[in-house]
Amino acid sequence: MRILVTGGAGFIGSHYVRTLVSGGYPAFSGARVTVLDKLTYAGNLANLEPVEGGFDFVHGDVCDAALLAETVPGHDVVVHFAAESHVDRSIDGAAEFLRTNVVGTQTLLQACLDAGVSKVVHVSTDEVYGSIESGSWDEEAPLRPRSPYAASKAGGDLIARAYGVTHGLPVAVTRCGNNYGPYQFPEKLVPLFVTRLLDGRKVPLYGDGGNVRDWVHVEDHCRGIQLVAERGEPGEIYHIAGTAELTNKELTGRLLEAFGLGWDMVEHVPDRKGHDRRYSLDDAKIRALGHRPSVAFDDGLRDTIAWYAANSGWWKPLSGARR
Ligand code: NAD
């Protein structure tokens, strides 16, 4: 079996590749793995050092149809993580988000169709639905994205659906909440706050801190993706939810407590433009396939802090790219 992972040098893709190559997904054990990644600011081959030599690496862009026509044939399964992923950057400039997340996804799907790939998993996000005050979305909820990032991911999801319906491409979509864990680029909330506190610096809290996120450990996200790769139905969408629904203020409180620091380490900054108030996914469908999130939030957060504390050699060189 051959598996192609796009965006495998990023935060979540590299977790998937490290687990896959080290035998953590028994159904795919012994598979030959190819990672295709453009190595943008967010892609880092150091994320794959623990499994170096266990995969083939193709340095390239998912928008490059000629490269994909060479690379994709021969693969049985394609797991598509590659994306521009940071909402704040999409507010500063949306063009690259549309290019990679919409055109790149379409280019990859076409290459998968041409090559006769038997299973594609398109990795997406709860942000495509917009914002919800109470209750949870199921997979049939309308897409009402509110940031350029979310709109570009929704565009990718819709073209995946269209390739499934029109061409019969066997593609399933996963949508997950906010991830945290080791190797996350220190521009996202958890690693930004953790690395700043490790540096003795203040952390920037947006607006009133009341925005609610459902936190999913990267290990649980990747296990859900793997389950969909193994047993998900083509044409279906699967939600992957977490174990902790917290306001940003509550999360900040947990981090301060873990560091033994007080609220004087928090700098209140103007809210993000168009900031979604709350996301919440109903994950009954993937639970029916047997998935359960397994990392308790307090354990996951403690281990994540410990990882950043022990791996400053990984994140310090990235600080120029940190916001
Ligand atoms: P990331 O920004 O850490 O990594 C993205 C990777 O894609 C990088 O390695 C980058 O080099 C690569 N890439 C970007 N543009 C590319 C292109 N044009 N061609 C080839 N490679 C390219 O992102 P992440 O947090 O690991 O997210 C991975 C996927 O999961 C994304 O599709 C994202 O939308 C989705 N997702 C993320 C979260 C989250 O909380 N981080 C939650 C739900 C879904």
Side-chain angles (χ1 to χ4, degrees), residues 7 9-12 37-40 42-43 60-62 81-83 85 100 123-125 149 153 176-179 188:
F11 163 48
I12 304 170
D37 199 294
K38 187 179 174 183
L39 299 179
T40 67
D61 191 327
V62 288
F81 291 93
S85 69
T100 291
V123 178
S124 190
T125 165
Y149 163 67
K153 289 298 292 186
C176 186
N178 272 42
N179 281 216
K188 306 275 169 58

Side-chain angles (χ1 to χ4, degrees), residues 17-33:
V17 172
R18 289 193 304 274
T19 310
L20 179 62
V21 171
S22 53
Y25 302 131
F28 284 9
S29 71
R32 261 183 73 192
V33 179

